[in-house]
Amino acid sequence: MEIPVIDFEGLCGDSRKETMELLHQACEKWGLFKIANHGVDVVLMEKVKRLVNLHYEEHMKKSFYESDVAARLKSEGVLVDTDWESTFFIWHRPTSNINDFTNISEELRKTMDEYVAQVTELAEKLSELMCENLSLEKDYIKKAFSGKLGPSVGTKVAKYPRCSKPELVTGLRAHTDAGGIILLLQDDQVPGLEFYKDGKWVQIPPSTNNTIFVNTGDQVEVLSNGRYKSILHRVMADKNGSRLSIATFYNPSGDAIISPAPKLLYPGNYCFKDYLNLYAQTKFADKDPRFESMKKMAKCE
């Protein structure tokens, strides 16, 4: 299967309609896609990957292989309730906790902050494009995600260490993401990410050409009233290398109240004879205005 690739350069000029339709189909039918020409500094992307890999080698690798997880793999065999990953989570917005990680270098702190600022702009641009495709107000998702302090942004930094027995453990067990829009900067050499589509697991190859991988979470599915799906995915362990994953989450704030966008809901609680009366007048017109009229009628009753 070919993973959809959305080229943001296509948003300008004659190909905009085609690019928007491709994005819409990717959100509806896949729940995942890659973005090319996204505007995030590619030099910065490479730098943050290099510094995270260095941090893992200096501060995380040894402790992981000395951990209970590694010991259990040797002693118990198959591990069904454990993930083969070494990870930490940084909050950026509304407040940052990066200074709580005392072993993170100043260079990595600064680089991560610069990268996340750019990728957050990309997430908000994506949210606006999704709103446009769903015929919602441009900032509907951003407003829906905003509590008192705006949307939440955090980054899961993970390494899936080389595993001598990958058939016995999963890098990360199958799940959908709880939040909103997830933008992944992933390894360009080691595979492992898989998504479940059409009844089978689809392998996602390592990223090339500085693309950013995107998937939509549960809250986008709720807001879109099921139009845009969150998709089941997992990470497989690998015996040949350690896989890098830097996933930035553009999420609702903790106090945000989430519900389907009213404009995307079908009308309800109306009398069928009222619908028939309206249908008789609008039978050969588009059905969407008819549905909107029934929504207004139901509110008045």
Side-chain angles (χ1 to χ4, degrees):
M1 289 187 184
E2 280 293 322
I3 307 301
V5 178
I6 314 300
D7 187 345
F8 266 32
E9 285 191 349
L11 293 171
C12 302
D14 296 339
S15 58
R16 189 177 196 279
K17 182 177 180 181
E18 180 183 348
T19 302
M20 290 294 290
E21 179 59 25
L22 182 60
L23 174 63
H24 186 55
Q25 292 296 318
C27 291
E28 272 197 326
K29 300 183 182 304
W30 286 80
L32 61 98
F33 48 91
K34 296 178 182 179
I35 306 179
N37 298 307
H38 39 66
V40 178
D41 186 342
V42 296
V43 174
L44 187 61
M45 291 167 61
E46 290 302 316
K47 186 176 181 181
V48 75
K49 287 194 291 185
R50 176 177 62 80
L51 291 174
V52 167
N53 279 327
L54 179 62
H55 179 80
Y56 168 75
E57 292 292 331
E58 293 181 347
H59 299 286
M60 301 170 69
K61 182 177 180 178
K62 183 174 184 292
S63 61
F64 177 81
Y65 285 114
E66 293 175 349
S67 68
D68 289 342
V69 173
R72 285 179 56 201
L73 185 65
K74 292 179 181 178
S75 63
E76 298 179 20
V78 178
L79 301 182
V80 296
D81 60 347
T82 303
D83 301 314
W84 188 263
E85 67 173 353
S86 179
T87 184
F88 59 94
F89 195 95
I90 303 172
W91 284 109
H92 310 287
R93 298 183 184 182
T95 56
S96 173
N97 71 342
I98 195 168
N99 290 327
D100 294 344
F101 299 92
T102 57
N103 62 358
I104 292 181
S105 70
E106 185 62 31
E107 186 179 19
L108 177 52
R109 292 172 202 271
K110 182 179 178 181
T111 303
M112 182 65 74
D113 284 344
E114 291 175 358
Y115 168 73
V116 167
Q118 292 190 23
V119 87
T120 300
E121 287 186 15
L122 175 59
E124 294 190 335
K125 176 64 175 177
L126 266 174
S127 75
E128 292 174 357
L129 296 174
M130 290 177 183
C131 286
E132 182 178 341
N133 273 333
L134 291 168
S135 299
L136 298 173
E137 297 81 2
K138 178 180 179 181
D139 59 353
Y140 187 91
I141 290 177
K142 183 176 182 179
K143 285 183 175 179
F145 280 12
S146 297
K148 295 178 180 178
L149 300 174
S152 293
V153 179
T155 298
K156 178 184 176 182
V157 179
K159 286 285 285 189
Y160 297 92
R162 185 192 306 269
C163 181
S164 60
K165 300 177 181 178
E167 71 280 3
L168 300 181
V169 64
T170 306
L172 182 61
R173 288 163 288 173
H175 64 289
T176 61
D177 287 323
I181 300 172
I182 300 87
L183 302 101
L184 174 64
L185 179 59
Q186 69 161 344
D187 207 292
D188 55 10
Q189 297 183 30
V190 182
L193 181 61
E194 296 184 350
F195 279 74
Y196 194 73
K197 178 170 172 54
D198 299 334
K200 62 181 180 180
W201 288 102
V202 179
Q203 295 181 356
I204 306 299
S207 292
T208 57
N209 301 320
N210 299 301
T211 55
I212 289 179
F213 189 88
V214 177
N215 68 281
T216 47
D218 295 344
Q219 304 317 305
V220 169
E221 181 166 337
V222 172
L223 281 174
S224 68
N225 197 36
R227 293 281 299 278
Y228 290 175
K229 305 294 186 183
S230 62
I231 189 166
L232 195 67
H233 56 285
R234 67 184 182 185
V235 177
M236 305 304 290
D238 192 278
K239 66 180 179 180
N240 297 315
S242 297
R243 178 179 173 271
L244 172 67
S245 169
I246 303 172
T248 299
F249 294 77
Y250 182 76
N251 284 353
S253 65
D255 60 343
I257 305 302
I258 304 298
S259 60
K263 191 171 183 179
L264 301 180
L265 292 172
Y266 283 108
N269 298 312
Y270 58 80
C271 182
F272 181 52
K273 69 178 181 180
D274 293 333
Y275 186 86
L276 286 177
N277 289 336
L278 182 60
Y279 180 78
Q281 304 168 43
T282 61
K283 178 176 180 178
F284 300 106
D286 186 75
K287 65 184 175 185
D288 290 337
R290 187 159 61 239
F291 288 161
E292 289 301 313
S293 295
M294 293 308 302
K295 288 182 189 177
K296 295 175 183 177
M297 190 180 301
K299 286 181 180 179
C300 295
E301 294 179 351

